[in-house]
Structures are given as C-alpha cells and as structure tokens.
Amino acid sequence: MGPTNVALVKLFQADQQLRAAQAELDAASKNVRVQKRRVDDLTERHRLAQSTLMENKSQANNVELDLKTRDEHIEKLRSQQQNAKNNKEYQTFLIEINTEKVDKSKIEDELMKYMEQVETGQKEVADLSTQLQVEQAKLTTMQQESGAKLAGLQEEIDALRVPRDEAYNAVPAKARDMFERLAERHEGEALSAISKPDRRREEYICSACNMDLVIDVYNKLHSRDELVFCPNCRRILYIPEDLPPEAAVHKKKPVKAKKIPDSEIGAAAPRQQSAVDVLNSLQPDSPDEASESSDVPESSDSTAHSSPQN
Ligand SMILES: [Zn+2]
C-alpha cells in the first residue's frame, strides 16, 4: 500500500487501541457514576423535604399564634359579657363569642393539618437523611476501591494518546479529515480490511459490511496511494497483514503480465488488473517489459477514490 494508506492503517490501529482503553475506563467508572447520581438525587430530595418541612413548621407557628390571639379575644369578650348592662348586651356578646368559637374551631383544624404535615415531613427528612448517609458511605468506599484502577486506566489512555497523535500527524491532512468524518460516523471504525472469504477464488468483500468489492480492489490498494472506499458502508478499505499478495492471488491460471503504460512510470506503481499481476510484478524475473501492452481500462468505479495528497 502507498504511504497514505499505510499511515491511515497505523492511525486506525492506534486509534482503536485508544478507544478500547477509553471504553474500559468508561465501563470501570460506570458503577461509581451511577452511585454518584444516586447520592446527588438523594441530596436533592433531602433538601426539598427539608425546605417543605420548614415551610409547614412556619405555617403551623402562624396558625398557633392566630389561635392564641383568638383565645385572648374570646376571654376578653367573656369578661365583657360578665359586665353586660342588660340582657340584650349580654346576648350580643354571646353571639360574638360563639362566632369566634366557630372560627377558632376551623383554625384548630387547620393547625391539626399543619401539625400532621410537620410530623410526616420530619419522618421523611429523617429517612432521607439515613439513606443519604448509607449511599454516601457506599460511594466513598467505591471511590476508594476503584480509585487506583481508574487512575491506572487513565494513565494507559494518556500513554496511548501519544502514539495515536503521532500517527494522526503522519497522515496527510485531506485523508485525516476523511478519517475523522468516518470515525465519527462509524464509532471509530473508519477503516475496514478487505477480506478474501474463499481462498480459491479471487473475490474480496468489505470485512465491515460484507459488501462484494470489485476484483481490482486489491491492486488499487496494493499499488497505488489513493483512498478506496467501500461502495456500501463508505469505510476506507485497506489490505490486512494476513492478506499479502501470495495469499491474495490464486495461481491456477497465470495471467500474462501487463505492460506498464508510459504515463504511469514515475507516478505511482503500475495499474494492475488483478492480484495475480501484483504477484507477478513482485517476482524478480517478471516478463513485464517483454509482453505486449494490453492495458485494460480500470473497472467501472463502484469504488470512489480521491487523490491522496496534493
Ligand atoms: Zn463496507
């Protein structure tokens, strides 16, 4: 493969390692994060219950005060009643006292209601406070226990970030942008190895989505430095290490090697039609120059490519 694709594969591998370490840290810290959320929720509920309790207490106090004032008023009316000058005045005080008593009874009910609410609220606050203490203690233990492990994983991530960034900087800018876009779309899997499912047949598929690929995909990747995309999932294709030309080629029907067109010389490696050509071109005594040119046009592009770097 050309330098751009080699750099991309290096970036891909370093990036996958970094992502795996990050995922491990996320998984390891998940329990702590869940517990932290539980403690935060309880803290909030405790705060709200406490504030409601304070409100109800203050309301109860106000009603109690009101009741006291009314009691005093009734006492006053009673003493006035005792000193009534005549029966009519006496009856007037009586009516006023009775009205006050009815009002007082309503307020007593109200006070009752507030007292009950205060009692419920106090119990709730106490319960939440106990729960909070238990969960907070659990969180502290979890943080202590996982602290060393999480720190270790974080260290690993920091260490992996260095080669990843180096590999990133080694990729030409255009290809790098493409890598980033695809990595975002495919959760890091910007690249896909081509795979040859049947050893005896020269057929390739995208190992990520299993799409059949055009037969000359191997040559394109092997001999040229351009990005080749899977026509289905659009991932950048690459040749995996376990698929060298020796393995990619099936040797039953040796094909005559093609001549290198002049236009290709000095540019990229020769345009070869199949992996057989790649193999032939690698053999020391390849009759490349001797054979007559039968340059086959590139297979129609179901694979898109962009030129590597300008
Ligand atoms: Zn694909």
Side-chain angles (χ1 to χ4, degrees), residues 247-283:
V249 174
H250 79 121
K251 297 172 188 170
K252 267 190 177 171
K253 284 193 274 176
V255 178
K256 230 183 1 173
K258 311 296 181 297
K259 192 190 172 195
I260 309 163
D262 286 346
S263 61
E264 295 292 323
I265 294 172
R271 288 174 187 250
Q272 294 144 330
Q273 177 58 14
S274 79
V276 179
D277 304 318
V278 176
L279 190 64
N280 287 339
S281 73
L282 293 176
Q283 284 161 358

Side-chain angles (χ1 to χ4, degrees), residues 186 192-193 205-213 229-237:
H186 298 294
S192 167
I205 60 167
C206 165
S207 63
C209 74
N210 292 330
M211 180 73 175
D212 289 326
L213 302 169
F229 299 90
C230 169
N232 184 45
C233 69
R234 313 299 300 167
R235 286 180 177 87
I236 302 167
L237 297 169

Side-chain angles (χ1 to χ4, degrees), residues 83-107:
N83 301 321
K85 292 179 189 112
N86 51 47
N87 190 43
K88 196 188 167 200
E89 208 178 275
Y90 185 89
Q91 290 300 327
T92 311
F93 279 122
L94 188 64
I95 290 168
E96 210 175 330
I97 288 168
N98 284 339
T99 311
E100 276 291 307
K101 276 184 175 170
V102 171
D103 286 352
K104 190 189 153 191
S105 154
K106 279 183 199 159
I107 291 164

Side-chain angles (χ1 to χ4, degrees), residues 69-85:
T69 313
R70 280 170 196 271
D71 271 340
E72 282 165 8
H73 189 216
I74 290 169
E75 279 312 304
K76 197 179 157 199
L77 287 171
R78 271 194 184 129
S79 66
Q80 283 175 321
Q81 189 189 30
Q82 298 306 316
N83 301 321
K85 292 179 189 112

